Amino acid sequence: MSQDLNTQLNELLEKAFAAGTEQYHELGFKRRVGYGSRPAIIHIDMANAWTREGHAFTCENMDTIIPACQALNDAAREKGIPVIYTTTAYDITDRSKASDMGLWSSKIPVELLAEGLDAVKIDDRIAPEPGELVITKKRASAFPGTNLQQFLTVNRIDTVIITGVTAAGCVRHTVEDAIAEGFRPIVVREAVGDRVAGTVAWNLFDIDSKFGDVEPLSNVLDYLNNLPKFSETTTP
């Protein structure tokens, strides 16, 4: 998409969101779920297939998203707050055989996401540190079929700070499942990406209206920096 068309689209979206925000407020939507006292960071699919150039799954704006994730990691690790990563990978990528890709391979080229490939490894610019959880998922959301909910529950997490890709897919579905399971979803505006113009803006507006709080990086960092050490906190 040309720069002129992208500018026009952004202007139209801003007008639509302004009107939509007013309407939603009148209807009682766009309330705030707020921050809790024991957060975890969850980076959704920040693996090379999505963060590096030249892949079918490559997403835009990594020059903004990667530094935002780095800043969140630094703040979280300083307080001992858990940092969690997900990637999406499959053991059987031959579409002629029974496979763990399911019907998703009928829609998108998940056969390119074979377990063990460099493409499905977390981007080394935000590499997990020893002891940090890396979850391999098969679906859009990070919850079904994984141990994420168990990890959050056992460690008394009440807030999930979510970054990653894509806004329309895996980020959105993770947010929807998080609030459904009783965790407060906070989506970091500068740390979410996608591929098609307008997709991030629309999905962040809709998430903020119905499923979680979309917050600027500065607010989230202030929240993290003002928390006590994770080991010293308790749930309400």
Side-chain angles (χ1 to χ4, degrees):
M1 178 177 286
S2 71
Q3 186 62 39
D4 286 345
L5 285 175
N6 196 49
T7 299
Q8 292 176 34
L9 176 59
N10 287 335
E11 290 174 352
L12 287 171
L13 287 173
E14 286 179 9
K15 291 179 181 178
F17 295 157
T21 295
E22 184 177 344
Q23 178 183 0
Y24 269 144
H25 280 311
E26 291 174 355
L27 296 170
F29 285 67
K30 293 186 79 70
R31 298 171 182 170
R32 311 314 287 167
V33 69
Y35 296 95
S37 60
R38 281 176 68 88
I41 309 292
I42 306 179
H43 298 301
I44 302 296
D45 289 353
M46 290 296 290
N48 294 315
W50 294 266
T51 63
R52 302 289 185 175
E53 294 293 333
H55 199 280
F57 288 88
T58 300
C59 293
E60 298 180 346
N61 296 323
M62 286 301 149
D63 56 341
T64 299
I65 295 169
I66 292 290
C69 292
Q70 291 170 336
L72 290 165
N73 284 353
D74 289 345
R77 288 165 179 163
E78 176 68 23
K79 296 299 178 76
I81 292 166
V83 179
I84 303 166
Y85 298 80
T86 77
T87 186
T88 304
Y90 300 92
D91 297 305
I92 304 170
T93 54
D94 184 343
R95 295 183 64 194
S96 69
K97 298 179 179 179
S99 170
D100 55 341
M101 295 185 296
L103 282 175
W104 215 0
S105 65
S106 299
K107 292 296 296 182
I108 63 175
V110 289
E111 66 273 8
L112 301 177
L113 304 175
E115 184 70 59
L117 291 180
D118 186 65
V120 302
K121 295 178 181 177
I122 303 301
D123 190 308
D124 60 13
R125 291 171 291 182
I126 55 165
E129 292 193 345
E132 291 179 342
L133 183 65
V134 180
I135 294 171
T136 299
K137 61 186 179 67
K138 310 292 182 178
R139 306 182 190 182
S141 172
F143 282 91
T146 76
N147 65 333
L148 177 59
Q149 182 171 355
Q150 179 192 44
F151 180 91
L152 298 175
T153 300
V154 168
N155 290 287
R156 294 178 292 128
I157 304 298
D158 58 14
T159 302
V160 286
I161 297 170
I162 296 173
T163 79
V165 292
T166 61
C170 298
V171 169
R172 182 187 182 100
H173 291 298
T174 298
V175 170
E176 291 170 353
D177 282 350
I179 196 167
E181 299 299 338
F183 305 103
R184 298 170 183 265
I186 307 294
V187 183
V188 185
R189 183 176 295 279
E190 296 92 333
V192 174
D194 213 302
R195 306 178 190 94
V196 178
T199 304
V200 173
W202 164 251
N203 278 279
L204 291 186
F205 171 78
D206 202 49
I207 287 170
D208 193 63
S209 300
K210 294 181 277 189
F211 300 110
D213 294 354
V214 177
E215 291 283 308
L217 175 64
S218 59
N219 286 7
V220 179
L221 291 176
D222 285 345
Y223 160 69
L224 295 173
N225 290 333
N226 285 303
L227 285 173
K229 292 287 186 180
F230 184 79
S231 61
E232 299 171 2
T233 62
T234 58
T235 53

